Amino acid sequence: MTGVNEIWREFKQSGSTNAFKRLYDACYDLLYRYASFYIDSLDAEEVVLDLMLYLWTNRGSIEIHTSVESYLRSSIHNRCLNKLRGRVPTTSLEFVAEFGTADMEQRRITEEDISIVVWEAMKTLSPKCRQIFEMSRNEGLKNSEIATNMGLSEKTVEAYITKSLKQIRIFAKKNLILLIFLGL
């Protein structure tokens, strides 16, 4: 992660999407591999995306007194430990919605943009995941009702819903970062 300290200083001072993209490009792969030592690949991807969104939204208040690389590794390490302990400090879909509406003049991300991203995320789910997720969220069915209707156990239904939420969150975060890169 050569030059990360300089990129961070530029990003912190300017808040430019170009500097953020360079920071993201310089750090993502290494942080992902580092997180993958502790947790599975989907969780590792989510943890790194959460950290990147945290850096974007809190750049003005983050004070780094060591090297940026040390700060990022420590942040990933702590987030992985929290994930392993069951404390999941992930960015929720509610955060994504807040991000879009909190300062729309500056970011120009609308609720419609967020709805489109979530809709596109739904399309990436397997047919069974999507069906179970839609029965839960759109039709308001309880897990026990879904299990009965589909001939599955409640635990299996819970697993499908959990998997769906994780995939939707990761897809939404990736696209939120893409929107930042595009300066929208």
Side-chain angles (χ1 to χ4, degrees):
M1 288 198 286
T2 56
V4 173
N5 288 327
E6 294 79 27
I7 298 170
W8 171 254
R9 275 193 290 279
E10 179 188 341
F11 171 60
K12 187 165 169 73
Q13 289 173 354
S14 70
S16 80
T17 55
N18 185 38
F20 180 71
K21 181 175 181 354
R22 288 192 355 254
L23 181 68
Y24 181 91
D25 290 342
C27 301
Y28 182 86
D29 288 338
L30 184 65
L31 294 175
Y32 172 77
R33 284 193 308 272
Y34 186 66
S36 294
F37 284 120
Y38 297 101
I39 54 181
D40 69 60
S41 61
L42 270 180
D43 285 338
E45 185 175 15
E46 185 173 15
V47 164
V48 175
L49 291 171
D50 281 339
L51 176 60
M52 298 310 291
L53 286 173
Y54 175 81
L55 294 173
W56 172 261
T57 57
N58 296 291
R59 66 186 170 274
S61 61
I62 296 173
E63 294 296 326
I64 299 176
H65 303 290
T66 60
S67 73
V68 174
E69 184 175 345
S70 294
Y71 174 85
L72 294 174
R73 283 182 188 255
S74 290
S75 295
I76 288 296
H77 179 81
N78 292 334
R79 287 167 184 264
C80 288
L81 290 177
N82 286 339
K83 188 75 104 163
L84 290 170
R85 290 181 188 132
R87 290 185 282 164
V88 187
T90 60
T91 307
S92 66
L93 291 175
E94 290 78 23
F95 168 81
V96 174
E98 284 177 28
F99 183 87
T101 58
D103 191 3
M104 285 193 269
E105 291 298 316
Q106 181 183 0
R107 293 186 184 98
R108 294 183 300 220
I109 298 173
T110 65
E111 288 180 33
E112 182 179 340
D113 294 329
I114 294 165
S115 294
I116 290 169
V117 167
V118 171
W119 180 253
E120 290 299 316
M122 294 276 296
K123 289 181 185 177
T124 67
L125 298 175
S126 70
K128 192 170 229 173
C129 271
R130 187 174 339 129
Q131 181 183 12
I132 290 171
F133 188 77
E134 287 177 349
M135 291 172 82
S136 171
R137 297 306 193 259
N138 296 344
E139 298 173 28
L141 296 177
K142 296 179 182 174
N143 290 356
S144 59
E145 295 170 320
I146 297 168
T148 302
N149 289 347
M150 297 194 71
L152 302 170
S153 73
E154 282 187 55
K155 288 292 186 189
T156 302
V157 170
E158 284 178 29
Y160 273 112
I161 292 172
T162 300
K163 181 180 179 181
S164 299
L165 286 170
K166 183 181 279 190
Q167 286 182 267
I168 290 169
R169 273 195 312 269
I170 289 170
F171 186 91
K173 288 173 195 174
K174 282 181 181 177
N175 283 282
L176 184 58
I177 288 174
L178 178 63
L179 290 174
I180 292 168
F181 288 164
L182 296 175
L184 299 176

